[in-house]
Structure formats: C-alpha cells, structure tokens
C-alpha cells in the first residue's frame, strides 16, 4: 500500500516518478512537436496557412479541455490509471485517424480526439504522483517528472523531422500514433492511487 506520508524513496514511488516522466514526454511532447507535420498537411490537403494553423490550435485547445474533463472525472467516476489508459487509446485513435484524412474538417475531429487524450492522460499521471509523494518531497519528485516535458519538446520534433524526411507524413503520423500509445499505455498502470491517500473516503480499496 502506498503511503503519501512516508518520507523514503520506495521502489513503487521511483517507478511512479519514472512513469510520470515518460508520460510527460509523450503527452506534451507531441503537442509541441506537432508543428513539424503542419506544412505537410497544408500541402497535401491544399488548404490555407490560417486553416492549418487552426488545426494546430485545435489540438492545443483540446489538450486543455481534456485536462479539465479528467479533473472532474478523477476520482469520483474513474481512477487515475483508467483515465490515463483511456487517454492513451484516444491519442492513438486520433493520430491514426489524422493520418487517413482527406478533408480539413476531418482533421479537426482527429486532432480534437488526440488532444483530449493527451490532456487527460497528462493530468492523470501528474495528479497520481502528487497524491503519492510526501509533502516534503513532492516538489522534488514532481519537478523531476515534469522535466519529461522538456525532454519531449526537445527530442520529439527531431524524431518527427527524421520520420517525415524518410517517409510520407501519413506513415510518420501512424508511427507517432503507435509510439505515443505504447509509452502512454505502459505508464498508465503505475498511476493507481490508494483511496486512503486523501482522494477518496474508503481506506481500503484502490481505484483502478
């Protein structure tokens, strides 16, 4: 059982910090790296610069909405791990759908789903870590996990650039979809939080 008041650095806590670090890479990194794909989407669909910019903005906006929805869902209706896993699936479906679009209106729907997934899984991981770490160590551990955002924003744009140089942007997006889903889904099980950590009233059960 995880104890939020414990001061030590238990193995389960280390795993959760690492999982949250990975979650930050693949939940926020794809948002900042998405601009790599915009010129290809613009050229392929034959749309204007403002319209392709609006597609990118829709992804950003959907991420905030996803975080909000996750915030009102956890933990009353679903647990941290469940929300993170559902978000990972949404990211995969959204990005995979984006790789198959032929019209701009379909791109909005695809990035909307992907953004909702990215925002929800990001919040689930961060809140789960906050609920687990003792107050005196919280800033250190959460701060370290949040560094995953910087790693994602530095590495993923280069990764996307290499993909788009090596293949069609649609295949690059499919690989992006698969990689993001794998890492986000792999991190999700580590976000289980015991209900006696102040999140729920029951002292014995665990919200999955």
């Amino acid at each position: 059982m995880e104890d939020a008041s414990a001061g030590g650095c238990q193995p389960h806590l280390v795993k959760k910090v690492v999982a949250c670090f990975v979650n930050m890479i693949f939940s926020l990194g794809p948002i900042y790296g998405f601009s790599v794909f915009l010129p290809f989407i613009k050229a392929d669909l034959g749309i204007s610069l403002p319209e392709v910019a609006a597609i990118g903005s829709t992804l950003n906006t959907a991420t905030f909405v996803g975080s909000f929805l996750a915030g009102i869902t956890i933990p009353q209706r679903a647990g941290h791990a469940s929300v993170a896993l559902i978000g990972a699936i949404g990211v995969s479906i959204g990005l995979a759908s984006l790789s198959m679009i032929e019209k701009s209106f379909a791109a909005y729907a695809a990035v909307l789903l992907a953004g909702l997934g990215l925002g929800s899984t990001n919040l689930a991981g961060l809140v789960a870590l906050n609920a687990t770490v003792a107050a005196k160590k919280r800033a250190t551990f959460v701060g370290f996990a949040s560094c995953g955002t910087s790693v994602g924003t530095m590495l993923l744009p280069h990764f996307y650039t290499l993909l788009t140089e090596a293949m069609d942007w649609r295949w690059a997006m499919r690989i992006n979809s698969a990689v993001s889903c794998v890492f986000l889904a792999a991190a999700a099980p580590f976000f289980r939080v015991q209900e006696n950590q102040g999140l729920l009233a029951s002292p014995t059960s665990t919200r999955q």
Side-chain angles (χ1 to χ4, degrees):
M1 181 175 294
E2 299 170 351
D3 185 1
S5 64
C9 186
Q10 303 93 340
H12 74 268
L13 181 55
V14 173
K15 292 177 182 178
K16 186 162 291 186
V17 171
V18 172
C20 194
F21 183 89
V22 172
N23 179 280
M24 295 296 113
I25 293 175
F26 289 97
S27 62
L28 294 180
I31 299 170
Y32 292 100
F34 188 70
S35 59
V36 172
F37 293 100
L38 294 181
F40 297 97
I41 295 174
K42 176 180 179 296
D44 196 353
L45 299 184
I47 57 180
S48 65
L49 183 60
E51 186 166 9
V52 77
I55 292 172
S57 297
T58 300
L59 177 66
N60 294 334
T61 303
T63 302
F64 290 109
V65 175
S67 296
F68 174 75
L69 294 177
I72 62 177
T73 301
I74 300 171
Q76 289 82 3
R77 296 176 178 83
H80 305 72
S82 297
V83 170
L85 181 59
I86 293 171
I89 295 171
V91 171
S92 178
I93 296 174
L95 295 180
S97 299
L98 183 60
S99 73
M100 297 181 286
I101 55 102
E102 297 294 341
K103 301 292 183 181
S104 60
F105 70 85
Y108 287 104
V111 297
L112 177 63
L113 179 57
L116 291 173
L118 290 168
S120 61
T121 191
N122 175 269
L123 185 83
L126 199 57
V127 172
L129 183 59
N130 271 280
T132 305
V133 182
K136 63 181 180 180
K137 292 182 178 291
R138 188 170 297 142
T140 300
F141 289 163
V142 174
F144 174 79
S146 297
C147 288
T149 302
S150 298
V151 174
T153 57
M154 288 187 296
L155 296 184
L156 291 186
H158 295 290
F159 175 60
Y160 298 156
T161 299
L162 291 174
L163 287 178
T164 54
E165 289 176 348
M167 62 188 70
D168 179 77
W169 78 268
R170 294 178 183 272
W171 277 106
M173 185 63 72
R174 288 164 192 153
I175 292 175
N176 180 26
S177 169
V179 171
S180 298
C181 181
V182 167
F183 280 98
L184 291 174
F190 295 97
F191 300 147
R192 294 188 178 93
V193 174
Q194 297 292 336
E195 293 182 359
N196 66 337
Q197 290 174 330
L199 295 178
L200 292 175
S202 173
T204 57
S205 59
T206 301
R207 176 75 71 172
Q208 301 296 316

